[in-house]
Amino acid sequence: MHGTWLQTVSLLGALGVLLVLSEVSGVEIYTTEHMEVANGTDVRLKCTFSSTHTISPKTVTVSWNFRSLDQGREESLLHYQEVAYPPTSGPFKDRVVWSGDVSNRDASITLQGVVPTFNGTYSCQVRNPPDVHGQNGEIVLKVVNKVSLSEMALLAAIAGGVCAVILLLVVVYVLVRRRRRWHEDGDMELPERRKEKEWKDPTVCSPEEAIHLTMVEKVLEVESSDDASEPSSGDDDEEEEEEEDDDDDDDDGGGGDDDD
């Protein structure tokens, strides 16, 4: 009997713990695992989070810590609760700036003028009561003299290449369509041009034809003038014949007088 009671109490306790854990869920934090930055430049350490409970700027707390490459002790870098509390001493003095917005689930900070001693691991911790559980987000920062081609730069180069290829394809497509349209317009105009070339205005002639027509007209004028002169010569012959007849008559008449 006593053992049954203990089992019942243990079961109820386990159920209670499960209910509490189901209501108090952990905060999920998202960061970039590795970053490279050029020496002397500024870098934004991005840290975003999600919570199942309502975000209240008055209750959300953010803590940033730093651990150097030699795996030394972790030191506090910045604390935020309604306002930011940057370091007042040490190598990060005047180098850490709050650049987040908890209302938009952003807990990022910015490091100004990074130097090689900033190489290390930066951890971001966010609490939004009653969400107080969850793992921290970590960023491994490497300060270099010259920035190598990072993942973001590689993605940007790939995106730029894809955009350039798409633009080139669009230009080629437009040129091909225009060329086809020009060919279609030329094919449609060609029969009309042929018709225009075949059809000839009878009132218009070429210079060679004009010279030929002029010569023909001159020949016709000469022939017409010859035709016009032939009847007049016939009249002259008739007049001459009439004059000869008159002379004969006169001769005949004169001879008669002599006979008388």
Side-chain angles (χ1 to χ4, degrees):
M1 189 73 178
H2 184 69
T4 305
W5 173 252
L6 289 176
Q7 290 179 356
T8 304
V9 171
S10 300
L11 181 60
L12 291 175
L15 290 174
V17 171
L18 290 175
L19 289 174
V20 171
L21 291 176
S22 63
E23 291 182 358
V24 181
S25 58
V27 177
E28 294 187 6
I29 299 177
Y30 312 96
T31 58
T32 304
E33 293 183 359
H34 299 276
M35 294 184 67
E36 282 188 0
V37 60
N39 186 17
T41 61
D42 299 343
V43 59
R44 188 172 186 264
L45 304 181
K46 187 175 182 180
C47 175
T48 58
F49 63 93
S50 64
S51 175
T52 57
H53 291 270
T54 303
I55 304 298
S56 175
K58 293 183 179 181
T59 59
V60 173
T61 60
V62 179
S63 297
W64 278 90
N65 298 316
F66 170 72
R67 185 175 66 254
S68 61
L69 292 177
D70 57 5
Q71 301 297 323
R73 67 181 183 85
E74 193 172 70
E75 59 179 296
S76 177
L77 191 64
L78 179 142
H79 181 75
Y80 175 89
Q81 186 173 8
E82 293 191 70
V83 294
Y85 299 93
T88 57
S89 61
F92 291 99
K93 180 182 179 181
D94 299 330
R95 296 290 188 92
V96 182
V97 178
W98 171 257
S99 57
D101 183 1
V102 294
S103 299
N104 293 326
R105 296 174 172 81
D106 187 358
S108 304
I109 62 172
T110 299
L111 301 180
Q112 297 178 335
V114 296
V115 292
T117 56
F118 285 9
N119 288 333
T121 302
Y122 296 79
S123 61
C124 173
Q125 182 186 70
V126 181
R127 299 290 181 263
N128 179 40
D131 286 353
V132 293
H133 300 282
Q135 294 184 352
N136 300 339
E138 292 187 347
I139 301 174
V140 177
L141 182 67
K142 183 178 180 181
V143 180
V144 295
N145 292 327
K146 184 177 181 181
V147 180
S148 61
L149 190 63
S150 62
E151 294 181 359
M152 293 298 296
L154 181 61
L155 291 176
I158 293 174
V162 171
C163 292
V165 171
I166 293 174
L167 181 61
L168 180 61
L169 291 176
V170 170
V171 172
V172 171
Y173 175 75
V174 172
L175 292 176
V176 169
R177 288 204 61 181
R178 286 187 177 180
R179 188 175 183 83
R180 288 180 179 176
R181 186 175 298 175
W182 290 338
H183 281 295
E184 290 176 358
D185 294 341
D187 293 339
M188 293 177 63
E189 293 178 357
L190 186 59
E192 297 180 357
R193 292 181 179 177
R194 287 178 178 174
K195 290 180 180 179
E196 292 178 356
K197 189 173 182 180
E198 292 175 358
W199 183 82
K200 188 175 182 180
D201 189 354
T203 61
V204 179
C205 59
S206 62
E208 293 80 3
E209 293 176 345
I211 295 173
H212 178 70
L213 291 175
T214 303
M215 294 177 66
V216 171
E217 289 178 357
K218 290 183 178 179
V219 171
L220 293 176
E221 288 178 359
V222 172
E223 291 178 353
S224 61
S225 62
D226 292 341
D227 293 339
S229 61
E230 287 177 359
S232 61
S233 61
D235 293 340
D236 294 337
D237 293 338
E238 290 178 358
E239 290 178 356
E240 290 177 357
E241 290 177 356
E242 290 178 358
E243 289 179 356
E244 289 178 357
D245 292 338
D246 291 338
D247 292 337
D248 292 338
D249 292 337
D250 292 337
D251 292 337
D252 291 339
D257 293 337
D258 292 336
D259 289 338
D260 291 339

